[in-house]
Amino acid sequence: MRHFSWSYFTKTGDVDAFMLYKEVDALALSESETGSVIADVLEEVPELAETSDGV
């Protein structure tokens, strides 16, 4: 979706396509940061990684 919205924006100059591109980019960044935080917690508390449901 990120690639499509950027391509559409560069071809048309549509502001909504650019806003979609930025939103998808921000979501991808927050997801990668969330994954990093989870990995850090699992390293600090290995008992969480051993449970099947993580609770």
Side-chain angles (χ1 to χ4, degrees):
M1 180 61 98
R2 184 174 175 259
H3 177 71
F4 170 77
S5 59
W6 180 253
S7 295
Y8 188 81
F9 168 70
T10 58
K11 292 176 184 173
T12 65
D14 184 38
V15 175
D16 289 328
F18 179 73
M19 297 305 293
L20 177 61
Y21 169 79
K22 294 300 287 181
E23 186 174 340
V24 170
D25 195 43
L27 287 173
L29 180 61
S30 70
E31 286 178 0
S32 68
E33 289 174 353
T34 301
S36 300
V37 170
I38 292 171
D40 291 343
V41 169
L42 291 178
E43 286 178 7
E44 293 175 13
V45 187
E47 301 85 38
L48 291 176
E50 294 172 2
T51 63
S52 61
D53 59 2
V55 178

